[in-house]
Amino acid sequence: MTAEVVLSGPSGHQMIGRALLDPASTASFITERAAQHLRLRREKQEISVSGIGGTQCLTQSHAVVKVNLTSVQNSMSLHSVQGIVLSSLTKHLPITPVPKGDWPHLSSLELADPEFNVSKPIDVLLGVDVYQNILKPGLIHGPKGTPAAQNTIFGWVLFGNVSSRQSTSEVTTLHASTSIPSCEETLQKFWTLEEPPKAKFPLSPLNKLVVQDFEEHHKREENGRFIVKLPFNPQRPTLGESRPQALRRLLSLERRLQHDGQFNRDYHRLLWRDKPGDPIIDYRMTRVTFGIASAAFLATNSVLRLAEENELELPLAAKTVKESFYVDDGLPSVETKQEALTLFRQLQELFNRGGFKLHKKF
């Protein structure tokens, strides 16, 4: 069932096109060529299109547009039809030219497509989403081997076999269904792409020593905070005596900063005194600071150990730390608001037990 129509858009551009009526399609479609010619405004959207047997199109549509259709036979129109943009809709229809016969029951009808029998391209496919707005009362049947006619706002459209000897060596099916990936499916694809491999790779001998050192020497304060030992590479030469060099740098820094009238207390320091003449004090860092090579390992292993120790009491929090944290960032998800509140309380309790403080929670 085809109709000759005037296609137009908000920009005012128009073109004569051929529309195919397909009530088996769950959506309407328009060709890329027509959308570009009419300069239609596009809305980005990922849509999968499948045909008979669930076969998937080679390409997915990435946009939808709105187009107006007006009959060339009368002034009746169909406004703001949402069309999914595809590079092509179907082969030229009909597949082979159809000879016009002597059909008295159709002789007085004003056809929507006077050249229905000529094989030509399809610019628009109108699906069941607008089909009911196209039909008008009137259905005419003819003798066997002749087409039937259905009245529409575009005029009368024809359908059916025109000969009992019609070839079936090539068949065109025009059923199409669409689906828009849900938010859950999109996120699942994202995590599938972004998730690191779960397989555990064998540790090098040096890394095994680091893990063993952590297991043997880490402790806990009364408030739960972790106490860890900085691991040293046994293959590296010993550091030696560095205090004299540090002292020389401190004295040089004092002389340089004295020109400013006061000391900059933000300088990272191991040797310090408030002013020249005061005794020099040796300061020792009591916190693992980011910047040293082992900082990420010590922090991550401390959090994982915390999760293991509290797995029975705080199962949701422990599972989240093991599966949904990357370094110091966590991005868990749950099904309901109540689950989210329970998880939040467990995570807060878990990290409090280790002396850690949650930030940027929402």
Side-chain angles (χ1 to χ4, degrees):
M1 295 185 288
T2 58
E4 192 175 36
V5 294
V6 178
L7 303 174
S8 62
S11 65
H13 289 76
Q14 294 184 343
M15 64 174 285
I16 301 294
R18 203 177 195 203
L20 173 68
L21 279 59
D22 182 12
S25 174
T26 61
S28 297
F29 299 84
I30 186 171
T31 63
E32 178 69 37
R33 182 185 72 89
Q36 288 189 12
H37 183 88
L38 298 173
R39 299 184 183 179
L40 299 177
R41 182 178 178 273
R42 299 173 185 239
E43 178 183 340
K44 290 185 178 180
Q45 200 169 106
E46 295 293 329
I47 303 175
S48 298
V49 183
S50 59
I52 192 169
T55 55
Q56 197 80 10
C57 285
L58 293 178
T59 57
Q60 292 184 323
S61 174
H62 301 285
V64 294
V65 297
K66 289 186 177 180
V67 61
N68 304 321
L69 297 91
T70 304
S71 171
V72 296
Q73 310 294 344
N74 52 61
S75 59
M76 301 194 71
S77 300
L78 201 60
H79 294 283
S80 299
V81 175
Q82 181 169 285
I84 300 170
V85 181
L86 292 178
S87 57
S88 63
L89 305 182
T90 183
K91 292 183 176 181
H92 289 198
L93 293 180
I95 297 174
T96 57
V98 177
K100 286 186 178 180
D102 184 15
W103 303 322
H105 63 296
L106 306 177
S107 59
S108 61
L109 301 182
E110 189 177 61
L111 300 181
D113 184 4
E115 296 185 338
F116 68 90
N117 60 319
V118 179
S119 182
K120 293 192 297 186
I122 300 296
D123 300 292
V124 178
L125 186 148
L126 300 175
V128 71
D129 55 325
V130 295
Y131 191 69
Q132 63 178 352
N133 300 324
I134 297 173
L135 295 184
K136 292 179 64 177
L139 176 61
I140 300 175
H141 292 280
K144 184 178 181 179
T146 63
Q150 170 67 55
N151 196 15
T152 72
I153 62 173
F154 304 124
W156 292 82
V157 295
L158 305 183
F159 62 95
N161 289 339
V162 296
S163 172
S164 60
R165 300 188 302 273
Q166 184 175 5
S167 170
T168 57
S169 61
E170 184 175 2
V171 177
T172 299
T173 177
L174 301 172
H175 160 75
S177 61
T178 62
S179 63
I180 301 175
S182 65
C183 180
E184 181 179 355
E185 290 173 339
T186 304
L187 284 175
Q188 182 63 38
K189 289 181 180 180
F190 170 78
W191 286 119
T192 300
L193 292 173
E194 295 294 322
E195 186 176 2
K198 295 182 181 297
K200 292 186 176 180
F201 297 99
L203 295 175
S204 67
L206 181 59
N207 287 338
K208 287 181 179 179
L209 286 176
V210 173
V211 174
Q212 182 181 349
D213 186 76
F214 175 84
E215 295 294 337
E216 293 177 354
H217 295 98
H218 83 273
K219 301 176 183 178
R220 302 286 290 278
E221 294 181 348
E222 292 184 1
N223 62 2
R225 189 184 296 274
F226 277 78
I227 303 174
V228 294
K229 172 179 172 290
L230 294 179
F232 288 90
N233 188 345
Q235 300 174 358
R236 295 284 180 89
T238 56
L239 183 61
E241 179 59 50
S242 59
R243 190 179 187 279
Q245 183 180 6
L247 178 58
R248 288 194 299 271
R249 290 183 177 179
L250 172 65
L251 297 176
S252 174
L253 178 64
E254 284 181 342
R255 289 191 295 270
R256 189 164 63 251
L257 293 179
Q258 274 183 328
H259 297 291
D260 297 334
Q262 64 179 18
F263 293 108
N264 186 340
R265 300 304 177 92
D266 294 329
Y267 269 69
H268 191 84
R269 56 192 186 269
L270 294 175
L271 296 177
W272 190 258
R273 60 184 176 185
D274 289 335
K275 59 182 181 296
D278 286 355
I280 295 173
I281 302 174
D282 292 69
Y283 283 91
R284 182 174 61 88
M285 298 295 296
T286 60
R287 293 289 184 268
V288 176
T289 57
F290 279 94
I292 63 173
S294 59
F297 165 78
L298 294 172
T300 300
N301 262 40
S302 296
V303 172
L304 290 175
R305 174 50 62 92
L306 182 66
E308 291 175 0
E309 292 177 355
N310 295 274
E311 199 163 12
L312 294 179
E313 293 183 63
L314 305 170
L316 289 178
K319 184 175 185 294
T320 298
V321 167
K322 290 181 177 181
E323 298 181 1
S324 301
F325 267 70
Y326 181 72
V327 188
D328 58 345
D329 291 320
L331 188 63
S333 64
V334 291
E335 296 287 341
T336 65
K337 180 180 178 181
Q338 185 58 46
E339 287 181 281
L341 291 173
T342 302
L343 176 59
F344 170 72
R345 294 189 185 103
Q346 285 197 17
L347 284 172
Q348 201 167 39
E349 175 61 24
L350 176 68
F351 282 103
N352 284 341
R353 291 183 182 185
F356 297 102
K357 187 176 181 180
L358 286 176
H359 293 275
K360 296 183 291 187
K361 49 188 179 290
F362 56 90

